[in-house]
Amino acid sequence: MITREHYIEKVRPFYDSDLIKIITGIRRCGKSVILEQIMDEIGRTSDNIIYLNFEDKRVSANITNAEKLLSYVEERKKDGKCYLFFDEVQTLDGWQDACKTLRLYGYSVFITGSNSKLLSGEFTKELSGRYVAFRVRPFVYKEICAYCKELGITPSVTDYLIWGGFPKRFEFSSPEARDRYLSDLNDTIVFNDLIGRYKIRKHELFKNLTDYILRSNARIFSANSVREYLKHERENCSVNTIIKYLGYLEEAYIIERIKPYSSKTKSELSYYAKIYDADVCFNSMRCLGERYDITHNLENIVYNELIYMGHELYVYNNNGKEIDFAATKNGKRYYIQVAYSVAEEKTWQREFEAFKNMDNLCEKILITNDDIDYSTSTVRHIKLKDFLLMEDL
C-alpha cells in the first residue's frame, strides 16, 4: 500500500503531543492503513506502542468497557512515552472516558472512527482544545496512479469517473470481483451499519431515500423536494424524518453537502444544500445497465479533488446563474464551472454565460473532459486529465 503522505504529514507534528489524535472518514477509505503507517514510523524510535483494533472480535469480546481498556494499557505499557493506537474505537462503551483519562496520564493517543459523532456532542465539549481531528477520504486520482503503479496496472480517468477511489477495489482484476466487493461495501456501510446503529424501523423508506440521494449526486436538494419525490413513490414521510435520515448519511461520511454562498439565499431553510457522494461508486452501482451518470460524477470527482487540495467550497449564485463552486484557500477565491464537454455551441454558451458580468478580481475556471483548450481572456479552461494531476489550482 502506498504511503499516504498527504494525511500523515498533517498528523506528524502531533506525534508526541498530549492532544488526542482523531482520524475519521468513511469505512474502507484507508484510515487503518494510515494508522499502521504512523505506528510504523513511530516504531523506528520507540517500542512502547500498544495497538488495538475494535473490529477484531478477539479484542471487542475481551475489552468491553473503559475500565478494562485502562487495565489492559496499564499492564502492557513500558517506561517512558507510550503511544496508543485504537482502531474503530467508537464501538467500545465508554471510549470517551478512557481516552480522556489516558490523555491526562501522558499517553499519546491515536484513534480512528467512521462516525462523525466522534467529533460531536459531550466528548468534544469536554475536550475543547484537547484534540486534533483529521479527515481521510477514498483515493483521489494522484493516489490511484501511485497505487496502480505499485500493483502493476494502468489506471484510467474513465474508470475513476465510474467506480471511484475506494482503495481495496483496485486489487481485484475482474469487473465481477470489483462489483461484488463494492456491492458488499455498499450494503455494509450504507444500510447494515446505519440501520443497526440508529435502530431505523422503516427500512424500505430509508433505503428508498438513500438510493434517491446517492444516484442524484451533485444536485441541490431541500427536505421538501425529497419529500415530494418520496410522495411520488407512494412513501409518506415527514420533513423532520427526512432531515434525520440525511443526518445519518452525513454522520457516516456517506454524503457531504455544501451550502449556497450568500446568507440571503434559501440556506436559511431547514435543509437546502448541494449534496455529493463520498465516492462516485455509490451513484454508478445504482445505474441500470451501463448508463452511468458520468456528467454528475465528474462534478462529484472535482468536488472531492478540490476538498483534497484544501479548498473551502460553496455554491455561488451569480444573478440567478449557478456557479458550481466558489472555492477559497489561503485568502484566494476561484469561481469554478464543471461540464463533461463544451464542444457543442449550446453547452459552451451555457457554461460561459454563468460567469457573465462577474468581476475579474477572482479567477474564473472551467473544468471539462475536452482535449481542446477553450480558455478565453477571462476564463481559464483546465482539461480534466490535467486537473486530476495538479497539486493546486
Side-chain angles (χ1 to χ4, degrees):
M1 175 60 74
I2 60 170
T3 300
R4 300 185 76 180
E5 181 63 20
H6 175 82
Y7 298 105
I8 294 174
E9 69 176 1
K10 294 178 173 63
V11 185
R12 193 174 285 124
F14 300 95
Y15 281 2
D16 292 317
S17 170
D18 66 348
L19 297 175
I20 296 174
K21 280 69 69 175
I22 305 175
I23 300 172
T24 65
I26 191 170
R27 277 182 178 270
R28 305 297 174 254
C29 70
K31 300 185 303 296
S32 298
V33 171
I34 290 173
L35 198 68
E36 290 170 10
Q37 291 174 347
I38 292 171
M39 189 164 58
D40 289 343
E41 195 168 287
I42 291 174
R44 295 170 196 161
T45 57
S46 173
D47 63 352
N48 199 2
I49 292 172
I50 297 173
Y51 169 78
L52 290 169
N53 179 2
F54 286 91
E55 286 191 320
D56 185 335
K57 216 42 178 170
R58 294 168 299 179
V59 173
S60 59
N62 290 286
I63 302 176
T64 55
N65 55 46
E67 290 74 19
K68 290 185 178 180
L69 176 57
L70 293 172
S71 296
Y72 182 93
V73 169
E74 187 63 27
E75 290 168 5
R76 287 161 178 79
K77 72 177 181 66
K78 299 177 182 179
D79 292 337
K81 189 76 172 181
C82 184
Y83 302 87
L84 307 176
F85 295 85
F86 302 146
D87 209 353
E88 295 295 341
V89 72
Q90 81 276 357
T91 61
L92 175 74
D93 287 339
W95 64 269
Q96 304 96 322
D97 293 331
C99 288
K100 286 186 291 185
T101 300
L102 291 166
R103 176 194 163 271
L104 288 173
Y105 283 89
Y107 293 91
S108 182
V109 182
F110 299 77
I111 65 176
T112 75
S114 51
N115 187 327
S116 67
K117 282 198 169 180
L118 281 171
L119 303 176
S120 63
E122 293 304 314
F123 180 54
T124 52
K125 285 181 183 177
E126 293 176 25
L127 280 177
S128 178
R130 297 180 179 88
Y131 72 93
V132 283
F134 308 91
R135 171 76 179 277
V136 177
R137 300 168 182 274
F139 281 164
V140 293
Y141 191 66
K142 290 182 286 293
E143 293 178 304
I144 290 171
C145 290
Y147 191 42
C148 286
K149 183 178 180 180
E150 189 176 278
L151 295 174
I153 59 178
T154 303
S156 77
V157 171
T158 301
D159 176 78
Y160 179 39
L161 288 174
I162 297 173
W163 299 117
F166 276 109
K168 187 76 175 177
R169 80 164 184 88
F170 297 97
E171 299 174 16
F172 300 103
S173 58
S174 73
E176 293 78 15
R178 174 204 64 207
D179 292 351
R180 177 60 183 271
Y181 169 73
L182 290 176
S183 178
D184 289 347
L185 187 76
N186 175 79
D187 289 344
T188 300
I189 295 175
V190 179
F191 295 130
N192 299 343
D193 280 1
L194 295 187
I195 287 172
R197 180 186 299 157
Y198 296 108
K199 297 179 174 57
I200 297 171
R201 290 177 295 171
K202 298 180 179 180
H203 294 187
E204 287 305 311
L205 173 62
F206 179 69
K207 288 184 177 182
N208 287 341
L209 178 149
T210 299
D211 285 340
Y212 172 57
I213 293 295
L214 292 176
R215 70 171 178 262
S216 306
N217 54 334
R219 295 167 175 88
I220 289 181
F221 289 92
S222 69
N224 281 325
S225 69
V226 177
R227 184 175 64 173
E228 288 304 309
Y229 166 79
L230 292 171
K231 190 183 296 183
H232 182 264
E233 296 295 306
R234 295 184 172 84
E235 295 270 16
N236 288 318
C237 184
S238 71
V239 166
N240 286 340
T241 297
I242 290 168
I243 292 173
K244 180 171 66 176
Y245 284 172
L246 291 171
Y248 294 163
L249 294 172
E250 284 190 81
E251 286 173 1
Y253 300 110
I254 293 164
I255 62 170
E256 297 178 47
R257 56 174 166 153
I258 60 174
K259 296 180 179 180
Y261 179 74
S262 173
S263 61
K264 297 179 181 179
T265 67
K266 296 178 182 178
S267 61
E268 297 304 314
L269 299 179
S270 59
Y271 195 105
Y272 184 84
K274 203 167 191 179
I275 293 179
Y276 293 93
D277 296 350
D279 190 274
V280 296
C281 74
F282 291 135
N283 174 306
S284 297
M285 67 177 64
R286 287 168 169 79
C287 294
L288 292 174
E290 295 185 352
R291 295 182 62 83
Y292 302 117
D293 189 359
I294 300 292
T295 300
H296 289 97
N297 279 3
L298 192 154
E299 183 180 329
N300 205 136
I301 288 291
V302 170
Y303 168 84
N304 290 339
E305 296 275 343
L306 288 170
I307 290 291
Y308 180 86
M309 291 178 186
H311 292 277
E312 186 175 357
L313 302 178
Y314 299 92
V315 182
Y316 190 80
N317 188 316
N318 179 28
N319 296 317
K321 297 182 178 69
E322 180 189 307
I323 301 289
D324 293 322
F325 302 111
T328 305
K329 181 180 177 181
N330 297 329
K332 187 170 183 178
R333 182 177 299 163
Y334 306 84
Y335 293 112
I336 303 168
Q337 279 290 85
V338 182
Y340 188 77
S341 172
V342 290
E344 293 186 2
E345 180 67 21
K346 185 178 179 181
T347 310
W348 189 95
Q349 290 282 359
R350 183 185 68 235
E351 298 302 331
F352 280 89
E353 277 285 311
F355 295 119
K356 190 174 181 180
N357 297 325
M358 296 182 70
D359 64 56
N360 293 319
L361 294 176
C362 300
E363 186 172 5
K364 297 179 281 293
I365 295 173
L366 172 67
I367 300 172
T368 79
N369 201 37
D370 297 301
D371 281 328
I372 298 172
D373 186 354
Y374 288 100
S375 297
T376 68
S377 59
T378 58
V379 178
R380 174 162 60 121
H381 175 230
I382 304 177
K383 301 170 187 176
L384 178 65
K385 63 183 180 182
D386 295 331
F387 169 76
L388 294 176
L389 297 174
M390 295 170 67
E391 294 297 332
D392 212 335
L393 293 176

